[in-house]
Every structure is written in structure tokens, then in C-alpha cells.
């Protein structure tokens, strides 16, 4: 029969005690509701309403605009207040429909009509699910109608309802199974009509006895329905873990659940399917847990899609006096994915968007890229920002050896975490504090490693900010000094073919640092968080793969991975990941294509308006202008996916993801919102880029620049109130680490 658990996993405090027995209650929002058109994986929906339209609950607001896309429906009645870009929790501006809620929640015609699913054919069932706009409710947001139409439908052996709810604190699925068990059983029977050779299994962790009992009662007497109590262990709710337990198959990299004869859906998804098929009700609401020791009234709510999170928190009584809400951050890189016969990571998915838009990739291949780029938990598999800072935390002496590269899924990560706790106690006993470690020489060591590794440009911002907090003077000029003499000996994605797991196997950051000792690039006398010196930490270290970590005698380049450029549009500097720039783009000259926000730039790229030779300029996205300095991964990836990264440069006062590659020049200081010269660049101006000589200029005279400044009209701020406005008033420029003073 089924296994009790999967291979590996951890046992964190589940935190369920706060809201475990809190029964569902419905919260009806009072303010406006915002419906982003991209609440799902895939192509955003296309708005079908306009400002001033009256809408009803259940009415279509956004129509699916592609194979991998989903409808968006209104969860309230009221008036369309706006159809515009709104910033989401991710920080991105997304086309959204804003509705002024009338508080009546009047339903559109036909919503709630009873139907007997037994009389419906497969196409009718799938059509109902698609029309309802149902996406994966476990967090992935993948359009469910796509998942339910695998090529090998007749080979599906198990339809699995994921009721594990292994994530700490969350209890809404537990309540769903306790109170909606009959509906969930019917939802499973609906799916079994699509996969007649399969049996339906509800997988529930054994810390939910009430839910298990309720589902067993609902499934009793149906031979095709099973309830399986699995051992409580994180990440039991992951598809790979579930399939290992139910099907006994270890899902290999590149495989989809259907390849293992499985379809996996969250129980909340199953309930939404029942509502859509049997009650003619689209996805308008969902269960939601607000919990934690900082919450006054931990609870499980039925929340309307589009509700402001501030209202949801208020419905839970808000934050306890004297408490501070915190986030739990995961550590360690994920493993690389596999696509197109090669190892891939996050950047390949973003680049696939550009390739698809350019007609260079069909929809099926695009879907395959999406499914295979990020195979599991952890920070992205390349030398992107998270992994860059993990590695540099180790190089600067503030993290244990192995912190930068030990995979998140490795048992060694748990070992590392345990030893980190032990070392903290040791450091307290020895009275070694962060400022004892974060000395000017330690920052120089970190920057040296940054050059050797080829880290994300964001690491420059972070190191500047950390130096500011530590009271250590650090100038951009130091980067170019080190870049001029420290070779680049690693080429990890997006700069090259290797990923973090290969660096880990090669010996990790210690192997890199060991190579750097050959030319006395590092100060080996510095104390680190191990309680030992840098030199002592490197005793016995061996480079186990001289292709992943090249010897100093055979580097990828004689210069470092990061370069700082100066010029008349970047008087205080700007930053480029030199190791990810194609040789032919090291020196480039071309006409400026000027955009005052990321959205306008990406639209122009997708619509084929950018041609070889162009220099894309994106401004008003800096620390003040954003505000907050958004990353420009979408435009850089689109250019790379369209094969324009070797002919088109991009310059911005914003920043980049570590996944960006090509001649991507960011952190331009001073930024446009501070009166920087990048705000004076005009469409068609010729921009000259000379990375080897650290120069970037617009080819106009000083007199012309001053004439433009005299008639310059300051850009209207993106945010004019609230905390973001205060932040924009206080934040410094990128060359100072974008710190708040």
C-alpha cells in the first residue's frame, strides 16, 4: 500500500496551535477590491471591462489570453473604478481591475445554479473548470484546466488531493476538510470522470485527526476513494514528496507528475472544482489563515479574491501590542532543472518568455520550460542575488563554510543549521561580535571573492549598505581596483553553464578562496564566525573540479566579474556584471530608446520595437524613483530570449536580478528622480559604452546637457503618500547602497 513518508525532510515547529481549532468565518471586505490580471502562472488575462462599468459577483473581468492562462472573475458587485497598473505584493506593477465595492455582493445570472456532474462529459467538465478561472490553490497558481489535460490521460493511476498542509501555521485546509468533506469527496469523483482508470487518494498528514476522520466518513463505501494518513514532515505537501509516498516513484528531474501516472491538486482546488461544476460558481473566494504569536485573534477566514491584505489582518484583530510581525526565510540553493538537454535555472524561464513572444518557441515548449526550470525548494540555482550574498556572507566571515553552496534539499543543510546555532553560543562565550568580523579588510576579502565568482550586481548594493551599517568606509572605486587584478574563475548561470550544486561539489566558496591565496589576494589573518581565522578555515581545502573553479593560471578572464562605469550620464557610477556580457558588447555604441518605467520598456520589447544596435534606457526606477529600485529581470530576459542580448544594451537607474545577463548596466547614479543626467537623455541620442575602460556616455556636448537641464520638467513621483513616499524622501542613491538616512 502507500508509504508513510518520503525520503528526507525536516520537522519544524508547525505552529498550528494558534488557529488549529478556529472555525471558518466569512469576511466581507469594505474597501475597494483589486484584481490583478496575472494572479496565475502563465500569460496574464486580458481585461474585458472598462472604467465606469457596473459589475456583478461572478462576472468575468479578465479573459484568459493564452493556452497557459486563466479567467479572472469579480468577487463582488460594484463599479469599475480603474483598469490600470497596480503594484502587487511582489513589488511588480500588474495590469489590474479595481472595483468600488457596493457592499451588496449581487450575483451575476446563473451563478449558483445546481448541476449534476454525472450527466456531464469530459469536455463539459473541463470547460466548466476553465470558465471558472480555477488555478492551483496550494500556492503555485497554475491553471488547473491545463494540468487536467495531460497527453497520457488514460495512464493516470492516481488523482491525489493534497491535504498535507505541511507549511507551519496554516490551518485553512484542515478546516476545509473538517467542514466540507462531502463536497471534497464529490470534487474527487468529478476528477475521476476525467481519469477513469485512476483511484482518488486524499493524502493528509497525521497531525490532523479530525480532518482524517471527516474525509474517511465522506469516502466510506466508495472503493475508488482512499484516505491516507502520512507522517507529519516538511515538505510532505510537495508534489515530489506526495508522489513518492502514494505512487512509490521518485520523480526525476525533468519529469512531470503525469509521467509518474499521477495528477496532484490541493484540496482547496478540489473544492473549487466542485463549486464550479456542481454549483456553477467560479473562483471568487478561498480559505485563508491569519496566524502567529503576533496576531491578536488567529483565525481561518473565507476571503473574497481581491481583498486588501490590510483588511484581512484587521479582521484578525491586527498585531498584538508590543509584538513585531516577522518573516521566516529559507536558506540554501535549489538544484538545477533540466530542459532541452541541458541544466537550466530560473533565468531560462524568463528568457523563454522572450523567445515565445518573438515566435522562436512554441507554446508547448514554453510550457515545458516553465515546468522544468525550478525543480524544488531553495534559492534559484544560479549565481543570482540570494546565492551571491550567501557566498559573500561566507567570504566576509559572517557565515559558516558551506553556507553559500550547500543545497537546500541536502541533509548537510540541516547539519549546517545546527552547527550555526552551536557557533552562535561559542561566539557569545568568546565575546566575538559582528563588528569584530566586519572590518575594512573583511570587506576587501568579500569584494575580492565577488570578482572571482562573478556575483550579482545587487551584491554591490548590499555590501555598500552593510558597510554603512558597520561604519566601514567603502567606495565604488575599490571595486574597479580589485576588478582590474582579480581574475574571474567561475562562470555560473547566467554567465555560464554551471550551477550552485556543481560549485558545492567542487568545494564551494572555500575552494574559490583557496585558489585566491595563490597570489595573496586575501587577508588570511582575519577572525571569522567560526572563531578561527580565514587561513585556519582554509586548511586542507581542495578544489575538486578545476573547470567549475578554474585555477588562477587558467581563468575565464583576467579581470573580475563586476565593473563600475562612469560618464556624463553616471557621474557617481553605475554597475555591470562584466562576466555575463558577450565579448562583442564590451564596447558598444547605439541610439537611445528611452522609457520612463519598466512596463513601457517591456511592452516595446515584446512588440518588436527594439532592434539590434539599440540601447534601451529605463529610468525613474531607482531608489527614489521606483521607489525602491525594482529589478529589471523581465526586460533583460526578454532581450536574451529574443537573441538580442549580443546586440542590444540596457541602461537603468534601477537594478537587475542576478539572473540578468548581457550588457545590462544598472544602479546609474545620480538617478533620474534625483535630477541625474539619465533623466536628460532623449530618444535617438547616441550612447557609448566602453566596459574595459569603465566609461558610459551620451554623445552630446556639455552645453547641450546644460540646455536640456534648464528646460527639464521634474517627473511626477510614482508615490505621493504613505510610507513609500517617506522612504523616497529619505533614501540615498545606489552608489551609497540605497540606505535610508
Amino acid at each position: 500500500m502507500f508509504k508513510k513518508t518520503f525520503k528526507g525532510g525536516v520537522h519544524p515547529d508547525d505552529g498550528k496551535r494558534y488557529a488549529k481549532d478556529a472555525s471558518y468565518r466569512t469576511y466581507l471586505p469594505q474597501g475597494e477590491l483589486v484584481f490583478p490580471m496575472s494572479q496565475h502562472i502563465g500569460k496574464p488575462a486580458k481585461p474585458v471591462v472598462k472604467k465606469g462599468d457596473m459589475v456583478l459577483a461572478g462576472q468575468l473581468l479578465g479573459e484568459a489570453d493564452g493556452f497557459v492562462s486563466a479567467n479572472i472573475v469579480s468577487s463582488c458587485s460594484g463599479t469599475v473604478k480603474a483598469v490600470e497598473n497596480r503594484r502587487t505584493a511582489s513589488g511588480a506593477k500588474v495590469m489590474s481591475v479595481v472595483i468600488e465595492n457596493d457592499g451588496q455582493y449581487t450575483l451575476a445570472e446563473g451563478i449558483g445554479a445546481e448541476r449534476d456532474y454525472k450527466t456531464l462529459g469530459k469536455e463539459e467538465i473541463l470547460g466548466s473548470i476553465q470558465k471558472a478561472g480555477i488555478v492551483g490553490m496550494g500556492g503555485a497558481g497554475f491553471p488547473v484546466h491545463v494540468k487536467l489535460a495531460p497527453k497520457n490521460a488514460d495512464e493516470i493511476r492516481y488523482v491525489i488531493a493534497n491535504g498535507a498542509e505541511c507549511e507551519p501555521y496554516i490551518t485553512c485546509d484542515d478546516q476545509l476538510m473538517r467542514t466540507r468533506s462531502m463536497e471534497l469527496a464529490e470534487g474527487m469523483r468529478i476528477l475521476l470522470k476525467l481519469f477513469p482508470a485512476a483511484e482518488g487518494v486524499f493524502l493528509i498528514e497525521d497531525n490532523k485527526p479530525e480532518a482524517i476522520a471527516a474525509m474517511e466518513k465522506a469516502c466510506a463505501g466508495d472503493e475508488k476513494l482512499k484516505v491516507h494518513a502520512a507522517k507529519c514532515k516538511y515538505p510532505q505537501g510537495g508534489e515530489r514528496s506526495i508522489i513518492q509516498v502514494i505512487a512509490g516513484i521518485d520523480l526525476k528531474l525533468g519529469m512531470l507528475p503525469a509521467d509518474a501516472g499521477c495528477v496532484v491538486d490541493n484540496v482547496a482546488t478540489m473544492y473549487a472544482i466542485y463549486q464550479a461544476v456542481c454549483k456553477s460558481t467560479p473562483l471568487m473566494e478561498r480559505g485563508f489563515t491569519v496566524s502567529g504569536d503576533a496576531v491578536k485573534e488567529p483565525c481561518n477566514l473565507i476571503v473574497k479574491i481581491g481583498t486588501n491584505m490590510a483588511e484581512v489582518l484587521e479582521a484578525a484583530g491586527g498585531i498584538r501590542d508590543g509584538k513585531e510581525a516577522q518573516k521566516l526565510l529559507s536558506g540554501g540553493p535549489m538544484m538545477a532543472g533540466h530542459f532541452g538537454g541541458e541544466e537550466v535555472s530560473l533565468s531560462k524561464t524568463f528568457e523563454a518568455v522572450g523567445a515565445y513572444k518573438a515566435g522562436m518557441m512554441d507554446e508547448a515548449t514554453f510550457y515545458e520550460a516553465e515546468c522544468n526550470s525550478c525543480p524544488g525548494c531553495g534559492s534559484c540555482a544560479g549565481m543570482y542575488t540570494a546565492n551571491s550574498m550567501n557566498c559573500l556572507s561566507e567570504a566576509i566571515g559572517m557565515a559558516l563554510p558551506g553556507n553559500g553552496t550547500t543545497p537546500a534539499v541536502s541533509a548537510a543543510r540541516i547539519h549546517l543549521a545546527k552547527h550555526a546555532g552551536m557557533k552562535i553560543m561559542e561566539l557569545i562565550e568568546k565575546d566575538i561580535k559582528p563588528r569584530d568580523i566586519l572590518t575594512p579588510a573583511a570587506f576587501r576579502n568579500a569584494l575580492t571573492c565577488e570578482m572571482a565568482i562573478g556575483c550579482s550586481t545587487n551584491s554591490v548594493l548590499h555590501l555598500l549598505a552593510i558597510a554603512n551599517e558597520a561604519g566601514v568606509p567603502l567606495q565604488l572605486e575599490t571595486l574597479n581596483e580589485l576588478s582590474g587584478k582579480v581574475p574571474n574563475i567561475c562562470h555560473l548561470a547566467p554567465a555560464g553553464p554551471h550551477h550552485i550544486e556543481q560549485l558545492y561539489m567542487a568545494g564551494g566558496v572555500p575552494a574559490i578562496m583557496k585558489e585566491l591565496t595563490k597570489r595573496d589576494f586575501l587577508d588570511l589573518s582575519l577572525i571569522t564566525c567560526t572563531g578561527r581565522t580565514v587561513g585556519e578555515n582554509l586548511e586542507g581545502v581542495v578544489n575538486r573540479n578545476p573547470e567549475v573553479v578554474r585555477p588562477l593560471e587558467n581563468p575565464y578572464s583576467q579581470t573580475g566579474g563586476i565593473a563600475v562605469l562612469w560618464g556624463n550620464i553616471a557621474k557617481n557610477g553605475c554597475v555591470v556584471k562584466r562576466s555575463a556580457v558577450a565579448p562583442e558588447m564590451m564596447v558598444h555604441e547605439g541610439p537611445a530608446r528611452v522609457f520612463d518605467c519598466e512596463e513601457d520598456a517591456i511592452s516595446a520589447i515584446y512588440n518588436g520595437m527594439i532592434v539590434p544596435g539599440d540601447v534601451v534606457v529605463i529610468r525613474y526606477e531607482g531608489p527614489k524613483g521606483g521607489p525602491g529600485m525594482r529589478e529589471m529581470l523581465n526586460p533583460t530576459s526578454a532581450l536574451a530570449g529574443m537573441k538580442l542580448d549580443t546586440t542590444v544594451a540596457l541602461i537603468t537607474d534601477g537594478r537587475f536580478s542576478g539572473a540578468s545577463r548581457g550588457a545590462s548596466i544598472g544602479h546609474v547614479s545620480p538617478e533620474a528622480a534625483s535630477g541625474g543626467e539619465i533623466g536628460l537623455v532623449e530618444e535617438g541620442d547616441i550612447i557609448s559604452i566602453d566596459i574595459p575602460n569603465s566609461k558610459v556616455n551620451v554623445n552630446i556636448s556639455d552645453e547641450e546637457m546644460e540646455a536640456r537641464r534648464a528646460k527639464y520638467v521634474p517627473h511626477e513621483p510614482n508615490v505621493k503618500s504613505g510610507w513609500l513616499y517617506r522612504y523616497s524622501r529619505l533614501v540615498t542613491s545606489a552608489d551609497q547602497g540605497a540606505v535610508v538616512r
Side-chain angles (χ1 to χ4, degrees):
M1 192 56 182
F2 309 135
K3 298 178 182 179
K4 278 292 183 182
T5 189
F6 60 97
K7 192 187 304 179
V10 295
H11 301 81
D13 175 17
D14 66 15
K16 306 280 189 191
R17 57 192 175 274
Y18 298 106
K20 178 178 173 64
D21 296 315
S23 299
Y24 270 139
R25 58 185 173 90
T26 298
Y27 175 73
L28 296 177
Q30 304 302 306
E32 67 179 27
L33 279 75
V34 180
F35 299 85
M37 295 292 102
S38 56
Q39 298 180 41
H40 50 271
I41 289 175
K43 193 174 183 182
K46 183 179 180 181
V48 295
V49 294
K50 63 183 185 300
K51 183 179 180 180
D53 285 352
M54 302 292 293
V55 297
L56 301 173
Q59 182 176 330
L60 188 69
L61 300 178
E63 186 175 30
D65 195 28
F67 174 65
V68 184
S69 187
N71 289 340
I72 306 291
V73 302
S74 179
S75 61
C76 69
S77 53
T79 306
V80 177
K81 184 178 178 181
V83 180
E84 62 186 19
N85 284 321
R86 285 288 185 100
R87 206 175 295 277
T88 65
S90 69
K93 285 184 177 178
V94 174
M95 182 58 64
S96 305
V97 175
V98 184
I99 296 179
E100 190 68 50
N101 179 15
D102 64 9
Q104 300 300 307
Y105 299 96
T106 306
L107 294 174
E109 186 177 355
I111 303 297
E114 299 272 354
R115 289 192 298 184
D116 183 358
Y117 72 88
K118 297 175 185 176
T119 65
L120 303 177
K122 291 183 181 181
E123 293 304 317
E124 290 175 292
I125 290 172
L126 279 173
S128 296
I129 294 169
Q130 183 173 9
K131 182 181 178 183
I134 300 173
V135 301
M137 304 288 277
F142 193 85
V144 171
H145 68 277
V146 179
K147 182 187 285 190
L148 297 179
K151 294 178 182 179
N152 55 343
D154 294 335
E155 298 176 13
I156 300 298
R157 295 187 295 131
Y158 298 108
V159 176
I160 307 169
N162 176 8
E165 199 170 46
C166 60
E167 298 85 355
Y169 296 96
I170 303 173
T171 57
C172 54
D173 283 354
D174 187 2
Q175 284 297 318
L176 181 67
M177 291 183 285
R178 294 195 209 186
T179 59
R180 309 284 197 278
S181 56
M182 299 302 292
E183 292 91 336
L184 288 172
E186 287 290 85
M188 178 65 81
R189 294 184 182 103
I190 291 169
L191 292 190
L192 292 181
K193 288 201 68 176
L194 304 178
F195 308 104
E199 61 179 323
V201 184
F202 288 89
L203 182 143
I204 310 171
E205 283 192 322
D206 58 13
N207 64 342
K208 305 174 183 65
E210 298 89 349
I212 292 170
M215 290 310 309
E216 285 178 339
K217 183 178 180 180
C219 296
D222 192 330
E223 294 183 353
K224 298 201 71 175
L225 301 189
K226 303 288 191 299
V227 178
H228 179 58
K231 187 175 179 181
C232 180
K233 188 169 59 170
Y234 184 87
Q236 182 62 82
E239 280 188 334
R240 295 172 67 87
S241 305
I242 289 172
I243 291 169
Q244 202 176 93
V245 169
I246 300 300
I249 295 174
D250 186 11
L251 201 65
K252 304 298 183 184
L253 292 173
M255 290 177 64
L256 298 176
D259 298 326
C262 299
V263 169
V264 184
D265 278 310
N266 180 266
V267 287
T269 308
M270 198 80 65
Y271 181 73
I273 289 170
Y274 165 79
Q275 289 285 98
V277 177
C278 296
K279 301 294 182 181
S280 306
T281 300
L283 184 58
M284 296 190 292
E285 60 187 24
R286 67 159 300 154
F288 198 91
T289 302
V290 186
S291 185
D293 61 1
V295 178
K296 284 185 179 179
E297 303 168 13
C299 56
N300 292 297
L301 303 173
I302 302 295
V303 179
K304 299 292 183 183
I305 304 293
T307 303
N308 188 295
M309 286 298 297
E311 282 197 57
V312 176
L313 184 59
E314 187 178 340
I319 301 297
R320 291 179 183 269
D321 294 339
K323 287 284 187 177
E324 183 179 350
Q326 298 179 344
K327 292 182 178 179
L328 178 68
L329 303 180
S330 62
M334 70 173 66
M335 308 299 279
H338 288 260
F339 169 69
E342 62 180 10
E343 288 190 345
V344 298
S345 53
L346 172 75
S347 58
K348 288 296 181 184
T349 299
F350 281 88
E351 291 175 15
V353 175
Y356 175 69
K357 291 283 187 181
M360 300 165 68
M361 181 182 290
D362 61 33
E363 205 158 36
T365 307
F366 178 41
Y367 175 50
E368 187 182 353
E370 280 189 309
C371 292
N372 289 288
S373 295
C374 297
C377 62
S379 50
C380 300
M383 190 51 68
Y384 307 143
T385 302
N387 291 330
S388 293
M389 293 311 300
N390 272 339
C391 290
L392 295 182
S393 296
E394 191 175 329
I396 207 168
M398 286 293 292
L400 296 182
N403 175 78
T405 60
T406 305
V409 296
S410 169
R413 197 81 203 177
I414 302 170
H415 181 86
L416 182 68
K418 185 173 183 177
H419 277 264
M422 295 164 64
K423 281 294 176 183
I424 288 172
M425 301 308 297
E426 185 180 317
L427 291 169
I428 292 172
E429 290 173 3
K430 293 181 177 179
D431 195 30
I432 298 174
K433 298 178 289 293
R435 290 180 188 269
D436 298 324
I437 298 171
L438 294 173
T439 64
F443 278 93
R444 193 171 180 88
N445 275 3
L447 288 171
T448 299
C449 290
E450 180 175 44
M451 298 305 161
I453 297 169
C455 294
S456 162
T457 52
N458 284 325
S459 61
V460 177
L461 277 173
H462 297 322
L463 287 174
L464 287 168
I466 296 166
N468 176 77
E469 185 65 24
V472 173
L474 186 60
Q475 307 297 325
L476 286 178
E477 288 79 3
T478 304
L479 274 79
N480 272 12
E481 176 210 335
L482 293 172
S483 185
K485 63 183 181 183
V486 179
N488 177 227
I489 58 176
C490 292
H491 256 197
L492 279 76
H498 302 134
H499 293 87
I500 297 293
E501 62 198 83
Q502 280 94 30
L503 179 56
Y504 171 66
M505 297 301 293
V509 176
I512 296 167
M513 297 179 74
K514 189 74 171 183
E515 283 294 332
L516 293 172
T517 64
K518 292 179 177 179
R519 294 187 194 170
D520 297 324
F521 282 133
L522 299 175
D523 188 333
L524 303 181
S525 68
L526 305 179
I527 195 68
T528 71
C529 68
T530 65
R532 307 169 72 210
T533 66
V534 174
E536 290 171 331
N537 290 341
L538 297 179
E539 291 175 359
V541 170
V542 176
N543 178 8
R544 295 192 289 268
N545 190 331
E547 184 57 29
V548 176
V549 181
R550 284 195 175 181
L552 288 184
E553 311 87 81
N554 180 36
Y556 284 100
S557 68
Q558 293 293 341
T559 52
I562 298 288
V564 180
L565 315 180
W566 285 270
N568 63 358
I569 55 170
K571 292 184 175 179
N572 294 340
C574 55
V575 182
V576 63
K577 187 171 183 174
R578 175 161 51 189
S579 59
V581 179
E584 57 266 42
M585 291 298 292
M586 287 291 183
V587 178
H588 179 76
E589 190 170 273
R593 305 300 309 281
V594 182
F595 305 95
D596 287 347
C597 66
E598 179 194 12
E599 288 79 13
D600 290 350
I602 194 70
S603 177
I605 295 169
Y606 283 161
N607 287 301
M609 298 168 62
I610 304 302
V611 299
D614 284 348
V615 178
V616 177
V617 177
I618 307 176
R619 57 197 184 186
Y620 299 103
E621 294 286 11
K624 290 182 181 292
M629 212 172 181
R630 288 193 293 164
E631 65 179 36
M632 302 292 120
L633 177 57
N634 277 339
T636 58
S637 297
L639 291 171
M642 293 176 173
K643 309 300 183 186
L644 292 172
D645 56 304
T646 59
T647 57
V648 173
L650 190 149
I651 299 176
T652 180
D653 53 10
R655 61 185 182 88
F656 299 109
S657 162
S660 293
R661 63 185 175 98
S664 304
I665 301 167
H667 311 187
V668 170
S669 300
E671 63 178 290
S674 294
E677 284 75 12
I678 190 173
L680 304 179
V681 176
E682 295 181 356
E683 184 79 11
D685 284 347
I686 300 300
I687 291 182
S688 297
I689 299 166
D690 186 348
I691 295 174
N693 290 303
S694 305
K695 295 179 180 179
V696 59
N697 288 285
V698 57
N699 294 349
I700 61 173
S701 66
D702 293 345
E703 292 77 14
E704 172 62 19
M705 187 76 81
E706 290 309 309
R708 291 183 184 183
R709 189 184 303 281
K711 62 181 183 180
Y712 172 72
V713 178
H715 191 273
E716 193 75 14
N718 289 329
V719 177
K720 301 178 184 178
S721 63
W723 283 105
L724 270 180
Y725 175 69
R726 292 189 178 186
Y727 166 85
S728 70
R729 297 287 301 273
L730 297 172
V731 70
T732 61
S733 64
D735 66 298
Q736 300 176 57
V739 297
V740 173
R741 289 181 176 152

